[in-house]
């Protein structure tokens, strides 16, 4: 165990704490502001550790098999747990199909990564995947804030602006769903191109080997015939064998 792994484990430990803050009856309706502030703040801190543990692991040369396993697992658990909890609290914002889409995408990507690892290659995270993670964080925080506020009134000098928290949360979630689908297609396309090249190489290799074996067999046959032909005149010209 090292520092990056401990940071990743702290992100996993924060998941049940976030769920408890959002669902516990300990906070009354009057304390919804505190509930929302604690849950969103803890979620943002946990999201920051997602980049921190990877940075420290690369900087300190502490990339381990456990870290490579725990880091994506922590991300998937945290996002899935938050969306499932928000589905119960604000179903008018977090649709059940959104949750199914998110979890299904994560299963798909995990399966493709497992196949890629078994084939001996990796697929790096694209810019779309990184954008998807940022949008997920924004959408979760916006949905948490929508538990307490419908609108925010912002006063800037002589001007006042009304910001619909509910609308921002819905737009962020649907935008996140679109980016998730596009990034999944992009990831699958990158996986398919690499696996297709592997299959083509495997098919080509037996063909090349069979041609080499055939050529080697032909060379051996010609060599044997040449030796036989060269041996016959010697047998006919031998006087001892002639008598």
């Amino acid at each position: 165990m090292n520092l990056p792994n401990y940071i990743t484990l702290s992100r996993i430990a924060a998941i049940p704490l976030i769920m408890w803050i959002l669902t516990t009856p300990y906070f009354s309706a009057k304390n919804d502001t505190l509930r929302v502030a604690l849950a969103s703040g803890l979620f943002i801190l946990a999201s920051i550790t997602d980049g921190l543990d990877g940075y420290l692991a690369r900087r300190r040369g502490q990339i381990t098999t456990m870290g490579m396993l725990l880091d994506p697992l922590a991300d998937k658990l945290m996002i899935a747990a938050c969306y499932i909890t928000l589905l119960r609290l604000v179903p008018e914002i977090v649709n059940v199909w959104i949750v199914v889409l998110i979890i299904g995408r994560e299963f798909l990507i995990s399966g493709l990564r497992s196949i890629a690892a078994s084939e001996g290659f990796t697929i790096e995270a694209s810019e779309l995947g990184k954008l998807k993670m940022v949008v997920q964080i924004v959408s979760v925080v916006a949905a948490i804030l929508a538990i307490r506020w419908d609108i925010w009134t912002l006063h800037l000098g002589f001007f006042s602006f009304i910001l619909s928290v509910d609308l921002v949360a819905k737009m962020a979630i649907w935008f996140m769903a679109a980016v998730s689908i596009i990034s999944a297609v992009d990831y699958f396309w990158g996986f398919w191109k690499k696996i297709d090249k592997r299959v083509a190489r495997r098919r080509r290799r037996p063909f090349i080997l069979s041609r080499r074996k055939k050529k080697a067999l032909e060379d051996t046959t010609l060599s044997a015939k040449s030796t036989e032909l060269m041996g016959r005149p010697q047998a006919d010209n031998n006087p001892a064998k002639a008598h």
Side-chain angles (χ1 to χ4, degrees), residues 122-153:
T122 57
I123 303 175
E124 297 181 357
S126 64
E127 296 300 323
L128 283 173
K130 296 176 183 178
L131 175 63
K132 184 266 305 178
M133 189 63 191
V134 174
V135 176
Q136 278 184 343
I137 295 171
V138 173
S139 64
V140 169
V141 173
I144 292 175
L145 295 177
I147 297 174
R148 172 62 180 84
W149 295 283
D150 292 327
I151 59 172
W152 281 354
T153 303

Side-chain angles (χ1 to χ4, degrees), residues 30-215:
K30 295 180 180 179
N31 293 327
D32 268 349
T33 302
L34 179 60
R35 178 204 300 272
V36 166
L38 287 176
S40 58
L42 185 58
F43 178 80
I44 292 172
L45 288 176
S47 300
I48 292 174
T49 64
D50 180 28
L52 182 62
D53 56 3
Y55 170 78
L56 290 177
R58 292 187 297 270
R59 182 74 179 271
R60 299 159 63 107
Q62 295 179 334
I63 298 176
T64 61
T65 304
M66 179 177 290
M68 294 172 65
L69 172 66
L70 290 178
D71 186 60
L73 178 63
D75 298 338
K76 291 172 176 54
L77 285 176
M78 185 172 69
I79 293 298
C82 287
Y83 274 113
I84 291 172
T85 305
L86 290 170
L87 175 64
R88 174 177 174 267
L89 297 175
V90 280
E92 66 278 4
I93 295 177
V94 181
N95 191 282
V96 63
W97 291 108
I98 295 294
V99 178
V100 172
L101 173 65
I102 294 168
I103 297 176
R105 179 199 179 277
E106 298 303 333
F107 273 114
L108 172 64
I109 299 301
S110 297
L112 294 179
R113 282 178 176 169
S114 299
I115 297 173
S118 64
E119 292 292 330
F121 65 90
T122 57
I123 303 175
E124 297 181 357
S126 64
E127 296 300 323
L128 283 173
K130 296 176 183 178
L131 175 63
K132 184 266 305 178
M133 189 63 191
V134 174
V135 176
Q136 278 184 343
I137 295 171
V138 173
S139 64
V140 169
V141 173
I144 292 175
L145 295 177
I147 297 174
R148 172 62 180 84
W149 295 283
D150 292 327
I151 59 172
W152 281 354
T153 303
L154 305 176
H155 299 283
L156 300 175
F158 297 100
F159 301 96
S160 297
F161 297 92
I162 298 177
L163 178 64
S164 175
V165 180
D166 182 83
L167 179 61
V168 171
K170 289 180 179 179
M171 291 178 60
I173 287 175
W174 285 107
F175 181 66
M176 179 274 304
V179 174
S180 296
I181 294 173
I182 296 172
S183 64
V185 172
D186 178 68
Y187 194 95
F188 182 79
W189 179 248
F191 167 83
W192 183 259
K193 287 194 296 184
K194 288 197 173 185
I195 201 70
D196 190 48
K197 289 180 181 178
R198 291 265 174 168
V199 172
R201 288 177 184 175
R202 288 180 180 177
R203 290 178 179 175
R204 185 181 177 186
R205 186 176 179 184
F207 175 72
I208 294 174
L209 290 176
S210 63
R211 290 188 62 184
R212 289 178 179 176
K213 289 180 180 180
K214 184 178 179 180
K215 186 177 180 181

Side-chain angles (χ1 to χ4, degrees), residues 233-243:
Q234 294 177 359
D236 295 338
N237 296 331
N238 193 332
K241 290 184 179 181
H243 292 287

